[in-house]
Amino acid sequence: MLKIGDVASRTAVATEEVVATFARISGDLNPVHLDESYAKDTIFGSRIAHGLWTASLISAVIGMELPGPGSIYLSQNMKFLSPVYIGDSVTAIVRVTAIRDDKPIVTLETLCVNQDKKHVLEGEAVVLFPELRR
């Protein structure tokens, strides 16, 4: 049974292959993600992973762990706080903060941290979870 305070997480590494695959799938071929000579002259000083790749880890937790299969996004807000560099390990953490009494809707705190526990993304998701009413 889903309850306030439940937490789930998932960790992935922003490898060369992950970034190249995400660029190809998303169509975001921004050189800050793919071209080290370009990226070294940016404010980041090196290539970075796509912010939406980081956000996709949250989607994976929501769809597979908490609330889990059958979850449907209604909304997601997020702030990108720090870059994710190639080789960084990112952990997406989702925590239940509210469950509506009148509808199968769950509010979730969403957070991504890097290997140094630095917050790279913070936000909130609202999810329809039909399994609440079964």
Side-chain angles (χ1 to χ4, degrees), residues 9-13 57 89-92:
S9 65
R10 176 176 287 220
T11 302
V13 176
L57 299 177
S89 176
V90 177
T91 300

Side-chain angles (χ1 to χ4, degrees), residues 20-57:
T21 299
F22 193 88
R24 189 172 56 256
I25 290 168
S26 69
D28 180 354
L29 305 176
N30 185 331
V32 75
H33 306 303
L34 303 172
D35 182 343
E36 187 60 41
S37 64
Y38 175 89
K40 72 178 175 60
D41 292 328
T42 68
I43 61 171
F44 305 113
S46 188
R47 290 172 49 217
I48 59 171
H50 299 76
L52 288 182
W53 172 77
T54 303
S56 75
L57 299 177

Side-chain angles (χ1 to χ4, degrees), residues 88-127:
D88 280 357
S89 176
V90 177
T91 300
I93 304 160
V94 172
R95 184 175 64 85
V96 177
T97 59
I99 301 170
R100 285 189 45 179
D101 292 328
D102 61 330
K103 293 183 180 181
I105 294 176
V106 180
T107 302
L108 306 160
E109 173 186 42
T110 57
L111 171 67
C112 291
V113 298
N114 68 12
Q115 65 279 356
D116 300 319
K117 305 297 184 220
K118 183 173 187 174
H119 290 202
V120 297
L121 183 157
E122 293 176 350
E124 181 180 83
V126 178
V127 176

